[in-house]
Amino acid sequence: MAKKIEGTAKSTSVSVKKTKTATKDNKLPKITVEKPKKIIFLGSEAAPFIATGGLADVLGSLPKELAKNKNLDISVILPLYSNIANDFRKDFKFLTSFYVSVGWRYQYAGVFLYEYKKVKFYFIDNEYYFKREGNIYGFYDDGERFAFFSRAALDTIARLDIYPDVLHCNDWQTAASIIFLKGMYYGDENFRKIKTVFTIHNIEYQGKFGIETFGDLFGFSESVRSFVEFDGLVNLMKGAIEMTDIVSTVSPTYANEIKYPFFAHGLDAIIRRNERKLVGILNGIDIDYYNPKTDKSIFKNYSATDFSGKEVCKAELQKMLGLPERKDVPVIAVISRLVSHKGLDLIKDTAERILSEDVQLIVLGKGEIGYENYFRYIADAYQGKCSAIIAYNQDLSRKIYSGADLFLMPSKAEPCGLSQMIASRYGTVPIVRETGGLNDSIKAVYGDSGNGFTFHDYNSDDMLYVIRQALGLYRQKDKWDELVERVMKTDFSWKKQAELYEEMYENK
């Protein structure tokens, strides 16, 4: 049963500074009280509650890192999906309920609170929108669902009197919150004081809807039409980019790339027009969650100072997947959505040439049927050298990260990418194309420097060249062990990245 709390949820944490003053009557030191800077994140998913991709990892780990700073008060607002585990839901505390206008509709919203890792998570409840089977996206009424969530989040802030200094929205699902705030909520002084950040995790998904939804569904005021309308459609991401105070992306390279048509999916001119407020900050990963020293999913734990356990992980992985248990053969892993922008056509073009080498190839993922069928065919044709698991499997992915030697990620476009960081954490050396966050996180091996193998042009021969370069180094045992140690010690934690976010918030 959820526990009910009467009243509102207000933060009472403050930082206190004592200042000694020279007085004749020995008065007590002067005390000045500074309220922490309040940051509220809005997002459609966050680990560990609900996760389908990188956004969930970011909203599950960045707020937690920021909350370590006592001068920051961190909250996250999420939809209350029915498939959030009862292990969490049983401890949710009911705070309040109200009704939300969605165009001409008037919908119920309940608000629950759950504190986790010093972060306050508020969940917006509406079973009509969020009690759905299976996925959390891909429904015919996604526009209406997240329009509701965007307004309900703002109404929750007002209802609970938790007005933030900064409202940090993420991707198209929360873009409407900025449009509502800067449009119809701007007459309220409490909302007018709020600064906004809009983070683009993937510019390909923009929240495009027919122009008839402008008033009927979203209920936008005419004052925001020029910001929101684009190519004869409502484009929520475009509206948020135009109206927010800061636009951030999840890597510096991606922030530069989206100024150009190849990467921007039609929004390059809009990005260039708003370039003055564009910031690129590379994502991190939760190094406690992804830790081969403590991970219970892998066959044997190990660390950067003693990775002998990785040999056990490799042998057990080979046994599990029906591959010959050979210590000397390099295992190349692909863990990916099987879609074209992940560079799968490069792998498809070179797979048989790769398998002509003395290697083993493991592919884990689901996606486009053409790629799924191709990897099934390759695994069947090269039994004993290739294994393809057409599935999403978190537990198996950990076993592959820990048991493989090389991790292949040749993306056509990659805003940040977390898989190359996770692979590195487990001592599996990345092979990546120099794009987006891959370019910012993996530097080419050269002598005693670098933490992976990279290629620039989107070309299968270039990719095959660096794969063979990696295989050559693998056979130099001492040099390979030095590289694995260096890769495992690469700092992909949120600590430095969180400091960049703190600086960004402070500047607002």
Side-chain angles (χ1 to χ4, degrees), residues 170-185:
N170 295 270
D171 272 349
W172 77 261
Q173 291 90 349
T174 59
S177 290
I178 293 174
I179 302 166
F180 288 135
L181 189 154
K182 300 287 188 177
M184 66 177 64
Y185 286 70

Side-chain angles (χ1 to χ4, degrees), residues 249-298:
T249 69
V250 289
S251 71
T253 295
Y254 193 60
N256 186 61
E257 286 175 340
I258 60 175
K259 299 172 191 174
Y260 302 98
F262 180 80
F263 294 97
H265 295 271
L267 290 182
D268 50 293
I270 306 303
I271 294 294
R272 290 194 299 271
R273 186 162 73 208
N274 290 277
E275 185 175 355
R276 72 192 183 283
K277 57 186 180 183
L278 184 62
V279 178
I281 301 176
L282 185 68
N283 282 340
I285 58 171
D286 186 335
I287 60 172
D288 295 324
Y289 184 65
Y290 297 111
N291 186 353
K293 195 173 182 178
T294 58
D295 192 338
K296 295 180 181 179
S297 296
I298 66 177

Side-chain angles (χ1 to χ4, degrees), residues 225-329:
R225 183 178 289 275
S226 63
F227 299 111
V228 172
E229 195 171 338
F230 190 64
D231 284 345
L233 299 170
V234 166
N235 186 311
L236 299 179
M237 181 173 284
K238 187 259 188 183
I241 292 169
E242 297 273 42
M243 300 181 76
T244 193
D245 296 297
I246 292 179
V247 179
S248 74
T249 69
V250 289
S251 71
T253 295
Y254 193 60
N256 186 61
E257 286 175 340
I258 60 175
K259 299 172 191 174
Y260 302 98
F262 180 80
F263 294 97
H265 295 271
L267 290 182
D268 50 293
I270 306 303
I271 294 294
R272 290 194 299 271
R273 186 162 73 208
N274 290 277
E275 185 175 355
R276 72 192 183 283
K277 57 186 180 183
L278 184 62
V279 178
I281 301 176
L282 185 68
N283 282 340
I285 58 171
D286 186 335
I287 60 172
D288 295 324
Y289 184 65
Y290 297 111
N291 186 353
K293 195 173 182 178
T294 58
D295 192 338
K296 295 180 181 179
S297 296
I298 66 177
F299 293 108
K300 186 174 178 60
N301 295 120
Y302 57 95
S303 68
T305 54
D306 178 10
F307 46 85
S308 58
K310 188 169 175 62
E311 293 182 5
V312 176
C313 291
K314 178 175 179 175
E316 292 297 324
L317 178 67
Q318 290 170 324
K319 184 191 301 184
M320 171 185 279
L321 299 181
L323 298 171
E325 293 174 49
R326 289 181 54 196
K327 178 181 176 180
D328 62 321
V329 66

Side-chain angles (χ1 to χ4, degrees), residues 91-340:
D91 293 320
F92 285 8
K93 300 176 178 69
F94 176 75
L95 298 181
T96 189
S97 64
F98 49 86
Y99 282 81
V100 176
S101 295
V102 187
W104 51 265
R105 303 156 192 81
Y106 204 49
Q107 298 282 25
Y108 166 87
V111 182
F112 291 81
L113 172 66
Y114 183 77
E115 295 199 32
Y116 181 76
K117 306 286 188 180
K118 298 183 179 179
V119 178
K120 292 182 286 294
F121 285 87
Y122 296 93
F123 292 87
I124 307 295
D125 176 39
N126 179 293
E127 292 192 349
Y128 175 71
Y129 291 127
F130 301 127
K131 189 176 182 180
R132 307 281 175 100
E133 295 295 326
N135 294 330
I136 61 174
Y137 310 123
F139 296 98
Y140 76 96
D141 60 344
D142 275 0
E144 183 178 333
R145 295 169 72 222
F146 291 106
F148 163 81
F149 174 67
S150 293
R151 283 209 65 175
L154 296 178
D155 290 349
T156 294
I157 289 170
R159 187 84 170 196
L160 299 181
D161 191 20
I162 53 172
Y163 297 95
D165 297 285
V166 178
L167 183 69
H168 190 152
C169 299
N170 295 270
D171 272 349
W172 77 261
Q173 291 90 349
T174 59
S177 290
I178 293 174
I179 302 166
F180 288 135
L181 189 154
K182 300 287 188 177
M184 66 177 64
Y185 286 70
Y186 216 59
D188 184 326
E189 183 181 1
N190 291 311
F191 280 107
R192 195 160 56 246
K193 291 177 181 177
I194 297 173
K195 299 299 183 181
T196 58
V197 176
F198 180 67
T199 295
I200 301 170
H201 295 262
N202 191 335
I203 204 168
E204 183 176 357
Y205 306 104
Q206 299 173 8
K208 298 178 182 178
F209 302 95
I211 196 63
E212 70 280 358
T213 63
F214 180 88
D216 178 70
L217 193 157
F218 294 103
F220 290 139
S221 63
E222 284 299 316
S223 64
V224 305
R225 183 178 289 275
S226 63
F227 299 111
V228 172
E229 195 171 338
F230 190 64
D231 284 345
L233 299 170
V234 166
N235 186 311
L236 299 179
M237 181 173 284
K238 187 259 188 183
I241 292 169
E242 297 273 42
M243 300 181 76
T244 193
D245 296 297
I246 292 179
V247 179
S248 74
T249 69
V250 289
S251 71
T253 295
Y254 193 60
N256 186 61
E257 286 175 340
I258 60 175
K259 299 172 191 174
Y260 302 98
F262 180 80
F263 294 97
H265 295 271
L267 290 182
D268 50 293
I270 306 303
I271 294 294
R272 290 194 299 271
R273 186 162 73 208
N274 290 277
E275 185 175 355
R276 72 192 183 283
K277 57 186 180 183
L278 184 62
V279 178
I281 301 176
L282 185 68
N283 282 340
I285 58 171
D286 186 335
I287 60 172
D288 295 324
Y289 184 65
Y290 297 111
N291 186 353
K293 195 173 182 178
T294 58
D295 192 338
K296 295 180 181 179
S297 296
I298 66 177
F299 293 108
K300 186 174 178 60
N301 295 120
Y302 57 95
S303 68
T305 54
D306 178 10
F307 46 85
S308 58
K310 188 169 175 62
E311 293 182 5
V312 176
C313 291
K314 178 175 179 175
E316 292 297 324
L317 178 67
Q318 290 170 324
K319 184 191 301 184
M320 171 185 279
L321 299 181
L323 298 171
E325 293 174 49
R326 289 181 54 196
K327 178 181 176 180
D328 62 321
V329 66
V331 175
I332 302 173
V334 176
I335 301 174
S336 176
R337 282 185 295 126
L338 303 183
V339 293
S340 61

